[in-house]
Amino acid sequence: MKNNDVKQKEPIVTHIYTADPSAHVFEGKLYIYPSHDLDITMESNDNGDQYGMTDYHILSLEDNNTTCVDHGEALHIKDVPWARKQMWAPDAAYKNNTYYLYFPARDKDGIFRIGVATSPNPAGPFKAQENYIEGSFSIDPAVLVDDDGRAYIYFGGLWGGQLEKWQTGSYNPDGVGPDSSAPAIGPRVAELTDDMLSFKSAPQEISIVDEDGNPILAGDEERRYFEGPWMHKYNGNYYLSYSTGTTHYIVYAMSKSPTGPFVYKGRILNPVVGWTTHHSIVEFEGKWYLFYHDSSLSGGEDNKRCVKFTELTYNEDGTIRTIDPYK
Ligand code: FUB
């Protein structure tokens, strides 16, 4: 792979703004499923109104030294019957000889839901289901198809992602986060049905604890879950990695089970230029890579980001070495 030897990592594409990269190896290539940031200047707010995305473009990298291919528009919001605005961070999965694109958007009532679209090709175009996944809410879906064929979807994000509003199991527009001394809100996980289009049962909250088994608290902003979950497996362990939002780290926790509880382990990526940080982790041709974004391409505008990647390495005990994006 190129880019690994340069200190200032380069964006994988510069003709469009991209963010929230979910990387997978499909058909021997690296496919990247990012958000497609609009080329507009917007003031940032805590509700995320500056992220007004309307479509997805899928990117691919063949191997060493190939340029990244933009496969064009794979899905537009006008072709998603239930969605009104803000197509945020997507993910993709392969099963049943079909590619599935999972994506969040606000529905007609302004509530974030998660939809799914299908295609025979990893680069799309994708055809959306008529309605969002029943029982879905919030943002940032990430799907793991486990070695036994069972598939799990992880999701959830605070603030604009509305996760605070779902603590009772139904939508409370006035819902706020817990006190700083109470356990933090966890991401959600649901097993997917065999056709990958529905939840098998109601989503469960994932517990993230410290090395002593105590829950990470809401006030522990350097470790608590904020948004952008990713799940990968290495040497039989499950790694849940995520953004800490307000403190701008990508951190991770480990478990022997895909549904946890997960034990907090440490930082993967130090803060990048721009408010958000969002990543994925993938193995390709015997090496592990971290895909992430920053706002360097736009000179620091939060809503105009660019996807980058770098190599990720493990220590002997399976812990991950922290990456500084600019060293
Ligand atoms: O791209 C919009 C939102 O910003 C994503 O859903 C979050 O994870 C953050 O990156």
Side-chain angles (χ1 to χ4, degrees), residues 108-131:
K108 313 282 182 220
D109 297 319
I111 300 175
F112 266 111
R113 304 287 186 173
I114 295 169
V116 56
T118 58
S119 174
N121 301 308
F126 282 86
K127 176 147 179 44
Q129 298 288 298
E130 279 295 307
N131 211 341

Side-chain angles (χ1 to χ4, degrees), residues 37 44 48-53 86 88 275-276 302-303 305:
D37 284 350
S44 296
D49 295 328
Q50 63 273 27
Y51 303 109
M53 299 83 99
Q86 291 182 301
W88 285 10
W275 199 95
T276 63
D302 286 339
N303 63 310
R305 299 163 289 180

Side-chain angles (χ1 to χ4, degrees), residues 19-20 35 37 51 53 88-89 104 139-140 227-228 276-278 293 305:
D20 310 324
S35 299
D37 284 350
Y51 303 109
M53 299 83 99
W88 285 10
I139 59 167
D140 291 356
E227 64 184 2
T276 63
T277 184
H278 191 123
H293 71 229
R305 299 163 289 180

Side-chain angles (χ1 to χ4, degrees), residues 10 16 20 47 129 165 183 241 253 264 267-268 286 293 296 318:
E10 298 301 326
I16 55 173
D20 310 324
N47 199 38
Q129 298 288 298
K165 302 182 191 306
S241 42
Y264 179 88
R267 290 179 187 163
I268 296 178
H293 71 229
S296 58

Side-chain angles (χ1 to χ4, degrees), residues 199-268:
F199 293 166
K200 248 186 194 167
S201 51
Q204 304 296 309
E205 184 169 358
I206 288 180
S207 157
I208 304 172
V209 300
D210 64 18
E211 298 279 356
D212 298 323
N214 300 313
I216 301 291
L217 303 180
D220 186 351
E221 295 188 26
E222 296 202 345
R223 298 193 295 175
R224 67 94 173 80
Y225 179 81
F226 189 91
E227 64 184 2
W230 185 258
M231 181 62 59
H232 79 278
K233 256 178 120 171
Y234 174 73
N235 283 350
N237 288 306
Y238 293 85
Y239 290 70
L240 169 68
S241 42
Y242 55 91
S243 164
T244 63
T246 50
T247 50
H248 316 289
Y249 295 109
I250 298 291
V251 300
Y252 72 106
M254 290 169 64
S255 178
K256 287 283 176 199
S257 155
T259 54
F262 286 84
V263 179
Y264 179 88
K265 289 289 175 185
R267 290 179 187 163
I268 296 178

Side-chain angles (χ1 to χ4, degrees), residues 1-3 11-16 18 21-24 26 29-36 56-74 122-124 291 307 309:
M1 303 282 290
K2 62 182 181 176
N3 283 348
I12 59 173
V13 292
T14 56
H15 65 293
I16 55 173
T18 55
S22 293
H24 292 275
F26 293 138
K29 278 193 221 176
L30 259 174
Y31 280 90
I32 302 110
Y33 298 81
S35 299
H36 175 198
Y56 295 111
H57 280 226
I58 292 155
L59 311 174
S60 69
L61 282 165
E62 194 108 9
D63 56 27
N64 295 354
N65 302 318
T66 54
T67 43
C68 188
V69 176
D70 175 358
H71 296 271
E73 187 180 286
F291 280 76
V307 169
F309 68 88

